Amino acid sequence: MPHYRSVFISDVHLGTPDCQADYLLDFLDNIHCDTLYLVGDIVDLIAMQRRVHFTKSHEAVVHRLLVIAANGTRVVYVPGNHDEFMRRFCGQTISGVELHQKIIHTTADGRRFMVCHGDQFDQVVRCSPLMLLVGDRAHGLLLRLNRWFNAWRRLQGKPYWSLAAWLKGRIGKARTFIRRFELAALTAAEKGNYDGFICGHIHSAGFLRSQEGLYCNDGDWVEHCTALVENADGKLELLHWSEQPSIIATEPSAPAPEVSGDRRPVIDILPAAFLEQVNRI
């Protein structure tokens, strides 16, 4: 059973039919870590106002998280926009789970990362979250297609594969939004004198390194079933967890050519007040 120094998961969206709770439960049952970060949108309180879909597997995930906290793992909950209600409890510890608006994580090799959900950047990239970018109804249709498609794959004995993520990856505006989001997070990390930024929110796991910082997105458990993990030496990896768990990315050692030097795209200047808000602990 693999042991990690830190594990970061977000965008679970418990309470919705699209949550991949069974895969997440299998992941939690088969890894150990010193610190587990829940980086927002763990429970989808917004969707649950319209319809509650909280199955036994969803209950099992909540129970497993509480057991992990009770057994000595540090569990840190950084609420997002879909579980924003929990932000009123930041600064408290509930059932062994610490709640923070944002928090600094120091890796084993001494790097300092700001950890927050990421919805703070919506105002900067001037776009709604990716789910709203493609339209609530269109995105809902994509997720329903994803459920039906993977139900058919299971009948064929095939592993999980995200049709929704594949389709969205071919939407130009979605790709543009993701890159602007990544650059905004990188800029906030650099101007806040951090070594990087760890977040979720946009349901797109990945790394982006610049000359001065590292952007990390842990993805989601609706479409991609991904987690960001820190090994004992401080190095970061992205895992995909379904029938065939695998490492899908390791942190890059060199800056991405498209954001290096003069080739870095110009994005809106981040307002000083916004930087102060994001970087304040």
Side-chain angles (χ1 to χ4, degrees):
M1 189 175 291
H3 182 93
Y4 299 104
R5 188 171 182 270
S6 305
V7 171
F8 304 79
I9 61 173
S10 74
D11 298 274
V12 177
H13 293 277
L14 291 167
T16 71
D18 301 301
C19 169
Q20 303 290 340
D22 291 327
Y23 292 130
L24 176 57
L25 190 60
D26 186 62
F27 171 75
L28 295 173
D29 285 342
N30 284 281
I31 59 101
H32 287 300
C33 60
D34 299 328
T35 304
L36 173 62
Y37 289 92
L38 308 175
V39 195
D41 288 3
I42 303 304
V43 178
D44 196 328
L45 298 177
I46 294 178
M48 289 173 68
Q49 291 176 0
R50 301 187 297 269
R51 178 191 175 197
V52 177
H53 183 89
F54 216 89
T55 65
K56 289 185 178 180
S57 62
H58 292 214
E59 294 174 3
V61 168
V62 175
H63 180 261
R64 184 72 182 105
L65 292 172
L66 295 177
V67 168
I68 289 172
N71 287 342
T73 295
R74 184 189 182 199
V75 180
V76 178
Y77 187 179
V78 182
N81 54 309
H82 282 253
D83 47 13
E84 187 174 10
F85 173 81
M86 301 302 296
R87 285 176 174 167
R88 65 183 63 188
F89 302 108
C90 287
Q92 301 181 40
T93 298
I94 301 176
S95 298
V97 178
E98 302 174 27
L99 284 95
H100 297 273
Q101 186 84 12
K102 42 191 161 312
I103 191 169
I104 294 175
H105 172 72
T106 303
T107 59
D109 52 7
R111 293 177 294 168
R112 297 171 68 249
F113 285 81
M114 173 65 79
V115 182
C116 71
H117 179 61
D119 58 294
Q120 295 87 344
F121 295 111
D122 282 349
Q123 58 182 295
V124 177
V125 296
R126 293 181 179 178
C127 194
S128 299
L130 186 57
M131 291 176 69
L132 295 179
L133 182 141
V134 297
D136 279 339
R137 292 183 179 178
H139 189 264
L141 175 59
L142 278 179
L143 292 181
R144 285 195 295 274
L145 288 172
N146 197 60
R147 291 202 305 271
W148 299 335
F149 177 73
N150 277 287
W152 175 81
R153 285 180 63 87
R154 283 193 295 272
L155 290 174
Q156 302 296 315
K158 297 179 179 180
Y160 176 84
W161 183 78
S162 180
L163 174 66
W166 183 83
L167 290 172
K168 287 197 298 185
R170 280 148 181 79
I171 299 174
K173 288 185 178 180
R175 293 196 302 270
T176 299
F177 168 76
I178 291 170
R179 180 45 51 93
R180 288 174 62 82
F181 184 94
E182 293 170 341
L183 291 172
L186 269 176
T187 301
E190 293 164 353
K191 292 188 178 295
N193 295 316
Y194 301 110
D195 296 294
F197 219 101
I198 296 173
C199 60
H201 186 52
I202 59 171
H203 294 206
S204 181
F207 294 111
L208 183 67
R209 182 180 290 280
S210 68
Q211 296 285 353
E212 302 176 31
L214 176 64
Y215 163 89
C216 311
N217 195 300
D218 58 27
D220 65 276
W221 290 85
V222 171
E223 302 161 50
H224 300 89
C225 302
T226 53
L228 177 72
V229 298
E230 177 197 358
N231 292 303
D233 59 0
K235 298 304 180 185
L236 300 168
E237 297 176 333
L238 279 168
L239 304 183
H240 165 74
W241 198 277
S242 60
E243 290 86 355
Q244 300 173 351
S246 61
I247 298 171
I248 57 173
T250 58
E251 63 171 285
S253 58
E258 64 270 26
V259 296
S260 299
D262 295 336
R263 287 176 288 184
R264 181 165 177 166
V266 176
I267 64 169
D268 297 339
I269 297 174
L270 299 186
F274 173 77
L275 287 170
E276 181 181 358
Q277 172 193 352
V278 170
N279 292 300
R280 188 188 301 124
I281 295 295

